[in-house]
Amino acid sequence: MANKAVFGIATRVGQAEQIAMQLKAAGFSGDDISVLFPDKEGSRDFAHEQHTKAPEGAAAGAGTGGLLGGGLGWLVGIGALAIPGVGPFIAAGPIMAALAGAAVGAAAGGLTGALVGLGIPEYEAKRYEGKILKGNILISVHTEDSKEVEKAKEIFKREGAQDIAYTGETAVNARA
């Protein structure tokens, strides 16, 4: 799996769908695109899998992707999960397994702790948690190199995403 990721916040499902579709059109794999949003409607409308019990359980939710509808149904591993102390969420992509693992461990850090575990700096994770809990959607895409980071950031900016950040920053490769 890639060691870098670009993250951003969408304020509407339609915006999140557009960002995801643009990332896919730009050549990013559906396996590398993640979305996370609060399940305010009740998972009956989105997915049958509830309270995922293990990261492996994310695969069980893959068949429910079509129920999400719109432009996000094609994402891998979509399902519902509950994060202790935070509430129910709909997640898809690599973030699903990471959050399912946090849900199993009843991580003291809740959503922020799970996001930090994905490599997001704590201050960013806290800001993302606040925005997600207010109904916004976190979107991320794993990238392989700085060229992909820039391509993803450009898509996020063009589509109006907020709080765009990336992880996995490394020092410039100095040739000895």
Side-chain angles (χ1 to χ4, degrees):
M1 183 177 282
N3 60 355
K4 297 178 183 180
V6 176
F7 295 85
I9 294 288
T11 57
R12 304 174 332 286
V13 171
Q15 181 187 31
E17 291 173 349
Q18 188 63 26
I19 292 168
M21 295 302 288
Q22 290 295 320
L23 290 167
K24 186 177 180 184
F28 291 98
S29 167
D31 293 344
D32 290 334
I33 300 169
S34 295
V35 295
L36 175 68
F37 54 98
D39 182 3
K40 292 186 175 191
E41 301 298 321
S43 59
R44 70 184 187 288
D45 294 335
F46 298 107
H48 295 294
E49 295 297 318
Q50 293 211 16
H51 307 290
T52 302
K53 299 201 184 311
E56 296 79 16
T64 65
L67 297 175
L68 182 66
L72 300 176
W74 54 270
L75 291 171
V76 174
I78 195 158
L81 74 160
I83 299 175
V86 183
F89 290 87
I90 302 292
I95 200 168
M96 178 65 175
L99 292 173
V104 169
L111 182 55
T112 295
L115 295 174
V116 168
L118 291 171
I120 299 174
E122 187 174 356
Y123 68 93
E124 290 283 350
K126 286 178 180 178
R127 183 167 54 194
Y128 285 148
E129 178 176 8
K131 291 198 174 219
I132 294 165
L133 293 176
K134 289 179 181 172
N136 294 293
I137 303 156
L138 176 67
I139 306 170
S140 71
V141 61
H142 289 276
T143 58
E144 294 292 336
D145 55 37
S146 59
K147 190 174 182 180
E148 284 191 352
V149 167
E150 291 307 312
K151 184 175 13 173
K153 284 170 66 177
E154 176 56 36
I155 291 168
F156 278 74
K157 286 178 191 170
R158 185 174 63 232
E159 298 301 330
Q162 300 174 359
D163 298 311
I164 301 165
Y166 69 104
T167 64
E169 297 179 52
T170 56
V172 175
N173 292 334
R175 295 183 185 190

